[in-house]
Amino acid sequence: MFRSGVRAELGDAVDVVAEADDVATALAAVLREVPDVVLLDVHLPGGGGVEVLTQAAAQGSPSRFLALSVSDAAQDVIGVIRAGARGYVTKTITGPELVQAIERVADGDAVFSPRLAGFVLDAFATGEAPSVDPELDRLSAREREVMRLIARGYAYKEVAKELFISVKTVETHVSAVLRKLQLSSRHELTKWAADRRLL
């Protein structure tokens, strides 16, 4: 549904040559079609956008990548930029703004949502870009997003609505997060996330 909405917003302004719903099909499409710009979901199933970026680069893809996400969390933003994305915009962007962002990336510019631009520049200029966290690396991209929302106080139903997934799926992700991080409660998860400034 989300991809259909994006395609409708782009209209005739952008020539869409392929769509994909997971890392494997996305990578195959990138290598087959060699698009000028890849609009990449940071939380793409099968390993996330970083996996597509890493594998595409390893195979010499000349395509430029623009990340699109519901998340404005430091770890997500810096992760995809380090992996080679030319920009990062959040899903609150309007259709015309997205078209402009795609065109700018195609021209070689770096594009960020306004709130993220200063953050990214500051992070790299001061050398304070988030370091790799081995505990956080155990979580999938989707589990990280669920973890952050839960830690911010969202109810399961609110998380489900925000991420366009079922409440049952949220429950499954929360259980996996608590198990992987060896935590026993939502309170401990909130403290864990706060200690790492992930909220």
Side-chain angles (χ1 to χ4, degrees), residues 100-158:
Q100 186 179 46
I102 291 170
E103 290 172 345
R104 287 181 58 196
V105 169
D107 289 339
D109 290 344
V111 179
F112 297 93
S113 292
R115 200 176 82 75
L116 303 181
F119 161 72
V120 172
L121 291 172
D122 290 346
F124 281 100
T126 61
E128 293 176 358
S131 58
V132 174
D133 185 327
E135 284 192 304
L136 196 61
D137 281 350
R138 291 185 200 135
L139 306 183
S140 69
R142 178 61 89 190
E143 286 169 350
R144 291 182 201 182
E145 189 60 30
V146 170
M147 176 270 295
R148 288 193 184 97
L149 293 176
I150 290 294
R152 288 173 186 166
Y154 281 58
Y156 285 9
K157 189 179 290 187
E158 293 170 325

Side-chain angles (χ1 to χ4, degrees), residues 31 55-63:
L31 298 176
Q55 291 195 39
Q59 298 194 48
S61 169
S63 298

Side-chain angles (χ1 to χ4, degrees), residues 66-72 77 81 86-94 97-98 101 104 110-121:
L66 173 61
L68 179 67
S69 177
V70 295
S71 171
D72 59 3
V77 179
I81 299 305
R86 293 291 301 167
Y88 193 113
V89 294
T90 58
K91 290 180 178 178
T92 56
I93 195 169
T94 66
E97 288 171 341
L98 185 56
R104 287 181 58 196
V111 179
F112 297 93
S113 292
R115 200 176 82 75
L116 303 181
F119 161 72
V120 172
L121 291 172

